[in-house]
Amino acid sequence: MSRIGVTLASVPSLGVTYAPELARTAQGLGYGSIWVAETTGSEAFSTLAAIGAAAPGMSLGTGVLALQLRTPLVVAMAGATLQALNPEADILLGVGISSPVVTSRWHGVPYGEHPVARTREYVTLVKELLTGETVTFKGDFYEVTKVRVGVRLGERRPKVLVAALNPKMLQMAGEVADGVLLNYLPASHVPWSVEQIRKGGDARVYGYVHVGVCEREDGIDAARRDLWSYAVVDAYARSFERAGFADEVAAIRERQAAGDRDGAVAAVSDEFVDAIDIMATPTTWPRA
């Protein structure tokens, strides 16, 4: 199975009904996995179920679920159901702490406090539930009594991944999760992130690579808007600063606080874009 995957988040304008076709095309080209992000568009597990039927054998990943929006039991049930429907596939349950905009403003659910501790409990409980055994668990954030996921599985079980950016979350994820999902990182910052993960443990490292099949001048405005929308989120801002873009982050957030959205987008420098987004056509793609 190829270690290269594709995400449906790249093509939301084509609609959820395009997902099975995308999966079949990707599988035919040698891609090994397909991932579905979730905010306000398509629901992840029903989309992945359709993809699994269309492209049997592909690894199916949530990339990622906001953990505040589903209980650990619901995610374990959904993951187990997807695994039972796709017994030969790897099911990759990517979860993350999300942002106040997604949880509070869009879904009406409190963002919460102590994100690292809460994520640790969440992942620990989901993994226990996926064993198929009866689970009793009492933590600071989650508590269940004598509950068992009622989906019969074989030896293959879903894996639990954590989306992480900053040191404490990376280290915790390396310790308790099966994998860690990186995103919005320049290549130069990946070794530092892996180093933090290894301080916690030996979780497998996954990462999104942002690629646009286009001429740079046709894609750079969209890339600026995309990076602006993340730079105004605290966790991503800290990660961008650590990766060497503190000046850009400061300028973006200053203009954003002043109500100048256009100025905030314009403050995303060419260097910032080029560190994270690859834009090229088949004829201009760099060759090794």
Side-chain angles (χ1 to χ4, degrees), residues 1-2 4 23-24 26-28 30-34 48-61 82-83 85-92 156:
M1 181 65 71
S2 171
I4 303 175
R24 286 190 293 265
Q27 189 174 44
Y31 288 79
S33 61
I34 189 161
L48 287 170
I51 289 170
M58 287 195 86
S59 297
L60 306 174
L82 201 57
Q83 186 73 80
L85 293 171
N86 300 272
E88 303 304 318
D90 282 334
I91 305 302
L92 307 168
R156 191 184 294 264

Side-chain angles (χ1 to χ4, degrees), residues 125-146:
L125 180 50
V126 171
K127 290 179 70 175
E128 288 191 20
L129 290 164
L130 287 171
T131 65
E133 302 297 325
T134 299
V135 175
T136 294
F137 182 98
K138 184 174 183 179
D140 295 326
F141 305 91
Y142 303 100
E143 181 175 351
V144 300
T145 302
K146 295 182 179 179

Side-chain angles (χ1 to χ4, degrees), residues 41-56:
S42 61
E43 190 277 330
F45 288 105
S46 53
T47 304
L48 287 170
I51 289 170

